[in-house]
Amino acid sequence: KQEVTQIPAALSVPEGENLVLNCSFTDSAIYNLQWFRQDPGKGLTSLLLIQSSQREQTSGRLNASLDKSSGRSTLYIAASQPGDSATYLCALSGGYQKVTFGIGTKLQVIP
Amino acid sequence: AAGVIQSPRHLIKEKRETATLKCYPIPRHDTVYWYQQGPGQDPQFLISFYEKMQSDKGSIPDRFSAQQFSDYHSELNMSSLELGDSALYFCASSDPTGGGYTFGSGTRLTVV
């Protein structure tokens, strides 16, 4: 059974800082990994998708890496902004199977 | 671009009532997933359908049932509602090429 852990559970940083969110998983036989953003009471917005054969993906100020051998993924956010404040969820899929989520990292960027 | 559409956005029901949530996946996506997210929790998998057949089952109560129709939309039927069923219910769809999952905006169910 896949287990996903996200550290830290909460993070508060001043605006402009670069930060790293961590995700670890127990089963390396994954199909893909996605990072989602969720604002309070809102839906899940996909940020980055990394296929099993890929090592990283970039979109704007976001960069996600995947290391299957060590069971880890990181989400790097450059030059953080108050609008980045949200909960960030790491999710893994084993193909046509359910996505397994981590509990998320709640990020607060202080102006 | 078309997204996953869920209806209604909000729903208030009394205990022991029934509720039906609807999900319209992205066109050509062949798999639909339902998730339940309680306050402060990560989304919990309920059930999924591939090509209109149930493909996987998670922690879905016996009071709940779901199906996928010929047009690929899916409905989650919830009966004998309990206070603990109050949550955000998400639907997601995925395509055959493994392009990840797209989630709908969710239905917020409140049971009073």
Side-chain angles (χ1 to χ4, degrees):
Chain A
K1 177 185 174 185
Q2 179 73 274
E3 293 183 4
V4 182
T5 304
Q6 289 189 247
I7 295 173
L11 183 63
S12 183
V13 300
E15 181 177 4
E17 272 204 6
N18 302 323
L19 56 100
V20 175
L21 307 182
N22 296 293
C23 171
S24 61
F25 47 94
T26 55
D27 186 351
S28 62
I30 65 172
Y31 193 67
N32 59 42
L33 183 148
Q34 267 179 287
W35 282 93
F36 290 90
R37 168 186 173 140
Q38 186 174 32
D39 294 286
K42 302 295 184 180
L44 297 160
T45 301
S46 180
L47 298 173
L48 289 164
L49 167 70
I50 309 178
Q51 301 282 7
S52 175
S53 58
Q54 298 174 327
R55 295 297 299 268
E56 67 176 338
Q57 284 289 325
T58 298
S59 175
R61 296 182 293 109
L62 305 179
N63 175 277
S65 67
L66 173 63
D67 184 346
K68 289 198 304 178
S69 62
S70 65
R72 292 182 181 180
S73 175
T74 61
L75 178 66
Y76 175 81
I77 302 177
S80 58
Q81 302 171 359
D84 295 330
S85 298
T87 296
Y88 291 81
L89 294 150
C90 166
L92 287 91
S93 163
Y96 283 106
Q97 298 176 16
K98 60 184 181 291
V99 176
T100 301
F101 285 89
I103 200 163
T105 293
K106 187 173 183 179
L107 171 66
Q108 182 181 25
V109 180
I110 303 168
Chain B
V4 176
I5 306 298
Q6 288 188 247
S7 67
R9 293 293 302 275
H10 303 274
L11 190 59
I12 300 175
K13 290 285 186 178
E14 294 186 354
K15 284 194 303 184
R16 292 180 289 278
E17 284 193 320
T18 62
T20 297
L21 310 184
K22 296 184 178 182
C23 170
Y24 296 86
I26 291 175
R28 292 182 294 281
H29 279 200
D30 56 6
T31 308
V32 169
Y33 310 80
W34 285 97
Y35 286 82
Q36 177 191 59
Q37 186 178 30
Q41 299 179 0
D42 56 312
Q44 296 295 312
F45 172 71
L46 294 177
I47 196 166
S48 63
F49 293 87
Y50 169 67
E51 286 291 343
K52 294 157 280 184
M53 298 289 289
Q54 180 181 309
S55 56
D56 199 359
K57 192 172 182 180
S59 51
I60 183 169
D62 291 340
R63 300 177 288 108
F64 295 5
S65 65
Q67 57 182 326
Q68 187 178 30
F69 295 86
S70 58
D71 64 351
Y72 291 94
H73 94 273
S74 178
E75 294 184 4
L76 177 65
N77 299 293
M78 310 159 71
S79 62
S80 302
L81 287 169
E82 303 173 356
L83 295 178
D85 296 329
S86 296
L88 266 172
Y89 290 84
F90 290 108
C91 169
S93 69
S94 64
D95 68 41
T97 63
Y101 298 78
T102 302
F103 281 79
S105 298
T107 293
R108 179 173 291 282
L109 172 67
T110 303
V111 182
V112 298

